Amino acid sequence: MTHLSPDQVVDVAEGCADAAVAAHAARCASCRAKAESLLDAVRLAESDPPVEPSPLFWPHLAARIGNAVRREGARVPFWRSWTWRLAPIGAAAVLMVAIGIGARVWPGTPGGSPLVPAMPAGSPAQAAMEPSADVETADDPSWLLVSALSADVSVEEAEASGAWPPPGGADKALLQLDDAERMELARILRAELRTRGPVAPQGPGA
Amino acid sequence: MSTRAAAWPAGGIQPDWTLTVLPSTQDESGRDEPLGDLDDRRLVELCLAGRVDAFDVVVERHQRVVYQLCFRFVRRHEDAADLTQEVFLRAYRGLRRFRGDATLATWLHRIGVNVCLNKVAGRKVPETPLDDAPHIPAAGDDPAVSFAKAREGARVRAAVARLPRKQRATLILRVYQDLSHREIALALGTTVGAVKANFFHALGNLKKILAEEASAKP
Ligand SMILES: [Zn+2]
């Protein structure tokens, strides 16, 4: 006669055995004794009541954990801190580089050099390179990108707003621009500088 | 933020990140629901969207069971409080990994068991039970009866502490934390059959240890 396995004995003790297992237990004193012994041990274990600290302990513990969690949140990972806290500096650097590139590629600009191959007249890239006096940037998506990157956003504010790029997302957005897009960015930045006042000495429109 | 997101032209310069829309805490009629009324799943969504106050509610809701779980392993109030904090910190850090195939309580138990087993690993079982949790005797209890109960409880606790790790964890989760065998299987990363077998052996060994202790005493 094959007796019940340990897990089947547990099922019998807990009253959730299937029909075949229950039928075996009904006719096998040995297996019934094992199930009884199990229940006996459960009662023994239960004689150790749950710990109940003072009710005053729970708010204290919750506050302590809340503080630890907030400290955890304030420990900003390295990539986040430099990407976002240095964002204005990064934007300024991009600006200078962009203006520098602009100075070298705009036709007729002093110091311009053939770094970028000549493009056919009338091509989109060529059009983008043309300095334009009447630039409307307010709703320009490229400018929105630059604004988003250079805005002085703290990590906490950005997280609280629910908007958060993945690591390096901002950098990638800039690096993924092709030549024509970089030219366009330079044009927009230059126009923005013009409308906002003092222009860097090397700026083409200075 | 949504107007800015809509301004990106199709096929133009696109950021490779997306804006997260903060989950609403409003009910169907548009009223703001208190965080305490939200279920665990919604609280987790809010936490992931940056609402730390939603995690405060998670802590308030589950700290008692997590503390009691930790106390079962370490049997010292200060240690149990420290471990409870550690469990919630780990949960907070790993909230993105909570997939919802188990309840949040089961997931916290899983973290709790890991934290506690690591803590007690290699630690020698104390000869005398350590129990400095502030117990509150029920009103009207006979002090002598209370004392006898406390002694018996401490004896059982010490015996549980001597069980092999998996048996101990299984017994604690089943008897004291009232988890189902399925929940224990999820918490311990094993099968229901293995949980039941461990439970069977844990109870057998508990009786054996207590019997040995009783016979060793004059
Ligand atoms: Zn049998």
Side-chain angles (χ1 to χ4, degrees):
Chain A
M1 182 183 188
T2 309
H3 289 292
L4 298 179
S5 61
D7 55 312
Q8 288 171 326
V9 174
V10 170
D11 284 344
V12 171
E14 295 187 347
C16 57
D18 63 34
V21 170
H24 175 94
R27 63 175 186 271
C28 176
S30 166
C31 286
R32 271 203 313 279
K34 283 183 192 168
E36 275 303 316
S37 174
L38 215 63
L39 286 175
D40 199 31
V42 169
R43 279 188 290 271
L44 261 175
E46 283 173 344
S47 68
D48 181 21
V51 284
E52 276 305 337
S54 150
L56 299 175
F57 170 66
W58 301 119
H60 166 77
L61 181 62
R64 179 180 149 181
I65 295 169
N67 287 337
V69 164
R70 280 164 179 79
R71 277 199 303 275
E72 180 84 8
R75 249 179 39 199
V76 181
F78 177 70
W79 67 264
R80 284 187 180 181
S81 63
W82 74 258
T83 316
W84 285 92
R85 296 200 186 284
L86 299 185
I89 299 170
V94 167
L95 194 66
M96 301 301 276
V97 169
I99 290 166
I101 292 170
R104 301 179 91 176
V105 297
W106 261 303
T109 303
S113 67
L115 272 180
V116 179
M119 279 170 262
S123 72
Q126 173 74 18
M129 283 165 60
E130 295 294 337
S132 165
D134 52 345
V135 192
E136 180 50 62
T137 57
D139 293 312
D140 188 311
S142 306
W143 178 246
L144 288 175
L145 170 65
V146 177
S147 305
L149 292 174
S150 61
D152 188 12
V153 210
S154 76
V155 172
E156 291 75 15
E157 283 164 350
E159 277 189 334
S161 72
W164 195 255
D171 313 51
K172 271 192 212 159
L174 275 181
L175 292 173
Q176 282 169 359
L177 301 181
D178 61 24
D179 285 345
E181 287 164 339
R182 269 196 283 270
M183 294 304 133
E184 175 65 1
L185 181 60
R187 179 184 69 77
I188 293 162
L189 290 168
R190 184 170 160 274
E192 179 67 15
L193 273 181
R194 206 184 293 139
T195 58
R196 292 199 178 192
V199 180
Q202 72 271 41
Chain B
M1 297 307 276
S2 57
T3 51
R4 178 175 289 197
W8 301 116
I13 304 169
Q14 302 268 357
D16 65 349
W17 44 274
T18 49
L19 293 176
T20 306
V21 178
L22 198 66
S24 167
T25 56
Q26 291 182 342
D27 63 13
E28 284 167 3
S29 60
R31 281 174 310 199
D32 258 330
E33 279 191 274
L35 288 176
D37 290 354
L38 301 178
D39 64 20
D40 285 345
R41 202 171 293 267
R42 294 276 293 115
L43 289 173
V44 168
E45 284 173 12
L46 289 171
C47 294
L48 290 175
R51 290 280 300 269
V52 187
D53 52 344
F55 197 74
D56 292 338
V57 179
V58 169
V59 171
E60 282 164 25
R61 201 172 278 174
H62 296 282
Q63 62 177 344
R64 191 165 170 274
V65 284
V66 172
Y67 168 87
Q68 285 177 337
L69 171 74
C70 296
F71 188 84
R72 291 288 174 190
F73 279 94
V74 292
R75 300 184 297 143
R76 195 192 291 269
H77 176 63
E78 280 75 18
D79 288 349
D82 288 349
L83 290 183
T84 303
Q85 177 175 321
E86 177 66 21
V87 170
F88 280 108
L89 269 180
R90 287 198 191 190
Y92 184 73
R93 286 179 203 139
L95 214 49
R96 270 173 216 288
R97 289 194 294 275
F98 172 64
R99 299 198 191 288
D101 49 355
T103 63
L104 187 63
T106 304
W107 189 62
L108 288 170
H109 273 98
R110 183 186 180 114
I111 298 171
V113 168
N114 284 330
V115 166
C116 292
L117 285 178
N118 282 338
K119 170 80 178 176
V120 299
R123 186 204 264 190
K124 191 176 175 291
V125 176
E127 290 299 316
T128 51
L130 293 164
D131 182 359
D132 60 352
H135 288 280
I136 302 172
D141 262 9
D142 178 349
V145 173
S146 283
F147 181 73
K149 274 188 188 168
R151 241 181 92 166
E152 177 64 8
R155 206 170 70 88
V156 169
R157 211 169 304 146
V160 170
R162 290 175 58 188
L163 291 172
R165 286 160 56 99
K166 274 198 172 169
Q167 291 180 21
R168 184 181 181 191
T170 307
L171 185 138
I172 287 174
L173 294 177
R174 181 75 187 123
V175 176
Y176 303 119
Q177 302 299 105
D178 208 23
L179 263 59
S180 69
H181 294 294
R182 189 183 164 274
E183 288 170 324
I184 298 170
L186 284 170
L188 300 182
T190 184
T191 63
V192 171
V195 168
K196 288 179 181 174
N198 265 322
F199 188 48
F200 177 89
H201 295 302
L203 289 168
N205 283 331
L206 178 70
K207 276 186 99 172
K208 208 167 122 187
I209 292 167
L210 287 169
E212 279 169 8
E213 278 187 357
S215 64
K217 281 184 181 165

